[in-house]
């Protein structure tokens, strides 16, 4: 997949060299000659990846990377540091400033492009979610910075070499609970049960680490889990293969504890970001169909589900019944106990509804003090029985109002079973007429609807 | 990226051959020996891709593919037909039954894996969205089948050879409006302005079609657009490169009109599916922050935005002011004109609020007949002016109740400017106290809050 790449280097010759390599692979390249220009270009051009030189006059690559990772508009763009420095300290410093990888000049093209492909693939998926981060609904929640690794995470180290595995486990950051597995089968099991990160050793004999990584990626349950693979230095084919299979990052033997810590932290930070995007999206979707006061479904949702259930019933499926329940004299509850007291009653009512329903029934607050319950598979007799149980449960004990007081509440309910070819509107109208009758007959009652034909 | 692939063939030798090839590339393979077993395995194993033989006893590959594409649980899985048949009619029949590609045995491995990688990449992105299709909030809308190509679509044909371009345009399905471009620069422009599909000719001399495809993919505005590339028969390197750059499908010269039509329809159908997923997700997110009755924001949203605006104000940003507006004697409007009349008033009120506000002001229905308006950048004098204008606008003419009647409505408003270091709760309380005063002083009035210090 092609993409836009920002090349940052103060040496024009270096820029030209990388630009030519990337263009030969059909990437779209933009360039910057120092850190300040890089940050501006990143905000403006929104590249998919940044190749960042470390040694630059003015602001160096470390500081540039930190600023890019602090800025909401560029935080999501992967950064690969490219440098002639190859001291352990430089590498760790680069990773700690937020870089996704640290490549040493002269750059090996195969490694570079494998890394670029891998980072772009991850970004493409997250962009689908991020695109929605800019929507109003999510932006306000997602605008906080992600922060450092603070909460507890669970890692699984999988290596055929128990001593090596123990060493890797010992190199984990303090907040990471690590489990060691020496067998690929139990390792995969452990990965499936609530891990946040996997360390897979590709160097242990008699153990096909690449195959294990492929399995982890082929399985929907573990597809999203970050994998850090341990390989032998100079084993470029394994590194490239691993990245192409979907491994997130590579670390070379002998494993340096500081580097392990920095790479693990990067992976966990990224996972937390992706998890938060997904959770936020799911929660927002949930909010779209939920009544905020009672936590029941809202009118919009129940209307569409009723429509669906009736369609399936009309196509020869099971029967469908509907209840409309309206709290009696709710206005006087509000007048007497205030809006807050009224809210307590509505919430308490919703609780009893949910307690009394079958698992497959759908309850919604339809508006004000009116509730609608859809009962898929239920005939009129069953709906009448459920209505009667609900009525009795509401009347059985007073509602707590949260301030030491309590209120006696009753409910009137109309119920109806959908008839052949009937529309949702007609069913709702019949149940509503039954409710009206229940109110008319003195409230705290259940009435079943007349047949539509009658 | 590794993935799970379902191989379907009635010849065990063929199954073993493909299985070995795929496993050598670290794919996870499951198998089926006929169409019925294939459909069951697809439902159960949820593979990422299906390689489907055409000639099978019992149910053939065409019928199997049709059933897989009709079934909601398997519809999203790409299908590649693999067959010894190489007649034009077979290929078109395969594509028309919903297959994503049609490969001829003996299979060229390079082409196979390029195609597999390309289909998997597209699937990974859609899975992020599809995952949410199974959530309650979306499932009810997304459960309808996608249907055939019926609505009008816009295609752009880009080829350096005007005669070839015209021939490709003539081969488009009737519902597709086609624009021909012979220059890559104007072609890219056309792609950016509301196209649904691009046909890019990789065979015209003096025109780097691969570079153009790369540009289209590197540009966020056109990244999602389906591209169908035209290549010379036997030019496997271009086909592989094109698929790896993100081209969605390939067609060989001389272009057969029937095959073009089938491939274009497949791409448009897939695009419509992806577009619907995205739109649905965005609309659901919008619903999560919207009051359904008035279309204004809801309480949840305004609370978080107020918090945000005050934080930025406390960090040395512009001032923030807040209005709380409450419709006077709303209960008697409801009593007199019924709930429906009340709803007309609430909607009409929201309309006047929106008409009178500045573009950057944020208005929400806070609950019942109470509205909150956040004015970023506004001091108390400005907020008071806006309040007074709103009050006058509400009182100026009666509200239409939809049934020929109309009602005179007035509003009381309390406004307040956030003070240094003040919390949202405190600001809301002060505005509410001012509102209370306005009610107390006779309604249809504006009152500004006292300073928090006073």
């Amino acid at each position: 997949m092609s993409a836009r790449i920002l090349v940052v280097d103060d040496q024009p010759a270096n820029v030209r060299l990388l630009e030519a390599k990337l263009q030969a692979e059909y990437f779209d390249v933009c360039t910057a000659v120092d850190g300040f220009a890089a940050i501006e270009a990143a905000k403006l051009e929104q590249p998919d990846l940044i190749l960042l030189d470390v040694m630059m006059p003015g602001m160096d690559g470390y500081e540039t990377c930190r600023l890019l990772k602090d800025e909401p508009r560029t935080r999501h763009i992967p950064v690969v540091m490219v440098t002639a420095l190859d001291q352990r300290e430089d590498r760790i410093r680069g990773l700690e400033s937020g870089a996704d990888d640290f490549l040493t000049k002269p750059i090996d093209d195969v490694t570079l492009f494998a890394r670029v492909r891998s980072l772009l693939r991850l970004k493409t998926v997250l962009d689908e979610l991020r695109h929605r981060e800019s929507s109003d609904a999510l932006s306000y929640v997602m605008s906080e910075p992600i922060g450092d690794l603070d909460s507890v995470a669970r890692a699984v180290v999988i290596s055929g070499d128990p001593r090596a595995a123990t060493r890797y486990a010992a190199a984990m950051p303090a907040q990471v609970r690590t489990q060691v597995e020496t067998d690929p089968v139990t390792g995969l099991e452990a990965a499936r049960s609530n891990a946040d990160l996997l360390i897979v050793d590709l160097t242990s004999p008699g153990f096909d680490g690449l195959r294990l990584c492929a399995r982890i990626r082929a399985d929907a349950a573990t597809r999203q889990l970050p994998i850090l693979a341990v390989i032998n230095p100079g084993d470029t084919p394994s590194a490239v293969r691993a990245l192409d299979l979907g491994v997130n990052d590579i670390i070379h033997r002998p494993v340096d504890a500081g580097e392990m810590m920095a790479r693990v932290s990067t992976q966990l930070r990224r996972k937390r970001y992706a998890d938060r995007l997904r959770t936020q999206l799911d929660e927002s979707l949930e909010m779209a169909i939920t009544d905020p006061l009672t936590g029941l479904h809202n009118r919009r949702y129940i209307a569409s589900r009723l429509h669906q259930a009736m369609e399936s019933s009309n196509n020869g499926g099971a029967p469908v019944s509907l209840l409309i329940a309206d709290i009696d004299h709710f206005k006087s509850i509000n007048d007497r106990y205030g809006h807050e007291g009224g809210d307590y009653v509505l919430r308490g009512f919703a609780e009893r509804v949910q307690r009394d329903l079958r698992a497959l029934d759908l309850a919604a607050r339809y508006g004000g003090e009116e509730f609608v319950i859809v009962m898929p598979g239920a005939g009129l007799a069953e709906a009448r029985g459920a209505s009667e149980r609900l009525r009795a449960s509401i009347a059985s004990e007073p509602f707590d109002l949260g301030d030491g007081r309590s209120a006696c509440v009753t409910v009137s309910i109309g119920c109806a079973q959908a008839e052949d070819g009937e529309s949702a509107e007609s069913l709702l109208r019949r149940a509503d007429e039954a409710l009206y009758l229940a109110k008319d007959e003195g409230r705290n009652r259940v009435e079943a609807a007349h047949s539509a034909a009658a």
Side-chain angles (χ1 to χ4, degrees), chain A residues 28 145 261 281 302 349-350 401 433 442:
Chain A
D28 207 31
M261 225 172 268
L281 196 56
I302 203 79
F349 185 88
L401 301 182
E433 283 162 7

Side-chain angles (χ1 to χ4, degrees), chain A residues 294-434:
Chain A
T294 63
L296 294 181
H297 292 304
N298 59 19
R299 179 181 188 130
R300 180 195 291 141
Y301 177 75
I302 203 79
S304 78
R305 289 302 294 266
L306 173 63
H307 191 78
Q308 227 174 35
M310 291 188 66
E311 213 162 64
S312 116
S313 172
N314 280 332
N315 290 330
V320 184
S321 288
L322 181 89
L323 277 54
I324 302 189
D326 191 280
I327 299 176
D328 295 328
H329 299 300
F330 186 71
K331 200 174 260 184
S332 68
I333 296 175
N334 258 337
D335 287 346
R336 189 154 162 204
Y337 302 106
H339 268 285
E340 259 185 61
D343 285 355
Y344 264 95
V345 169
L346 290 169
R347 276 191 297 259
F349 185 88
E351 272 169 33
R352 296 194 197 179
V353 166
Q354 285 192 296
R355 197 184 57 199
D356 294 347
L357 282 185
R358 306 172 307 166
L360 74 166
D361 295 337
L362 294 163
R365 181 168 173 223
Y366 209 61
E369 65 272 23
E370 195 173 62
F371 296 79
V372 163
I373 297 153
V374 175
M375 297 184 69
L380 191 58
E382 202 173 338
R384 195 201 285 262
S387 302
E388 185 47 47
R389 275 194 304 281
L390 177 60
R391 187 208 57 74
S393 149
I394 298 300
S396 67
E397 53 174 323
F399 283 66
D400 180 20
L401 301 182
D403 56 359
R405 293 186 297 174
S406 64
C408 287
V409 175
T410 62
V411 65
S412 301
I413 303 178
C415 59
Q417 179 187 341
E419 299 184 346
D420 249 12
E422 189 175 15
S423 69
E425 292 64 39
S426 159
L427 178 64
L428 278 162
R429 195 174 47 242
R430 288 196 298 119
D432 207 37
E433 283 162 7

Side-chain angles (χ1 to χ4, degrees), chain A residues 3 20-23 44 60 67 103 114 146 160 162 165 228 246 271 325 336 344 357 361 377 384 395 401-402 411:
Chain A
K21 275 188 192 183
L22 291 165
Q23 284 182 340
L44 198 71
D60 68 12
L67 291 174
L103 297 178
I146 297 160
L228 176 55
K271 176 170 191 289
R336 189 154 162 204
Y344 264 95
L357 282 185
D361 295 337
R384 195 201 285 262
L401 301 182
V411 65

Side-chain angles (χ1 to χ4, degrees), chain A residues 46-121:
Chain A
Q46 289 286 310
D48 299 296
L49 185 93
I50 301 173
L51 295 178
L52 179 61
D53 183 35
V54 171
M55 305 267 276
M56 294 186 294
M59 178 161 60
D60 68 12
Y62 302 126
E63 181 61 17
T64 306
C65 187
R66 249 191 303 278
L67 291 174
L68 285 167
K69 293 294 175 182
D70 275 351
E71 161 64 44
R73 278 169 294 174
T74 57
R75 194 168 52 201
H76 61 285
I77 306 170
V79 175
V80 176
M81 286 207 165
V82 179
T83 171
L85 303 172
D86 192 22
Q87 293 300 304
R88 169 183 176 277
E89 288 72 26
D90 302 321
R91 211 158 53 229
I92 294 174
R93 206 175 150 201
L95 295 168
E96 283 179 349
S97 68
D100 294 86
D101 199 12
F102 197 93
L103 297 178
T104 310
K105 294 180 195 172
I107 300 175
D108 164 44
D109 290 3
V110 179
T111 311
L112 171 68
F113 289 120
R115 174 61 75 172
V116 165
R117 278 195 303 274
S118 154
L119 289 170
L120 291 176
R121 197 172 45 229

Side-chain angles (χ1 to χ4, degrees), chain A residues 58 66 78 110 124 133 137 166 249 263 269 314 321 397 428 435 439 442:
Chain A
R66 249 191 303 278
V110 179
T124 311
E133 186 181 5
T166 312
D249 199 8
R263 291 195 186 268
R269 200 167 51 232
N314 280 332
S321 288
E397 53 174 323
L428 278 162
L435 168 64
K439 293 274 186 191

Side-chain angles (χ1 to χ4, degrees), chain A residues 175-231:
Chain A
Q175 306 88 332
V176 178
R177 302 234 171 96
T178 311
Q179 173 178 354
V180 169
E181 294 291 344
T182 53
D183 177 79
V185 176
T186 56
L188 194 55
E189 295 278 314
R192 292 176 65 108
S193 68
N194 193 25
D196 298 303
L197 173 79
L198 307 177
I199 317 288
V200 178
D201 189 351
L202 304 187
T203 71
S204 19
F207 176 107
D208 190 345
L210 281 174
R211 181 73 58 194
L212 177 62
C213 291
R215 284 266 156 74
I216 293 164
R217 281 293 168 264
D219 186 337
T222 52
R223 181 158 286 175
Q224 316 272 15
L225 269 187
I227 304 177
L228 176 55
V230 180
I231 67 167

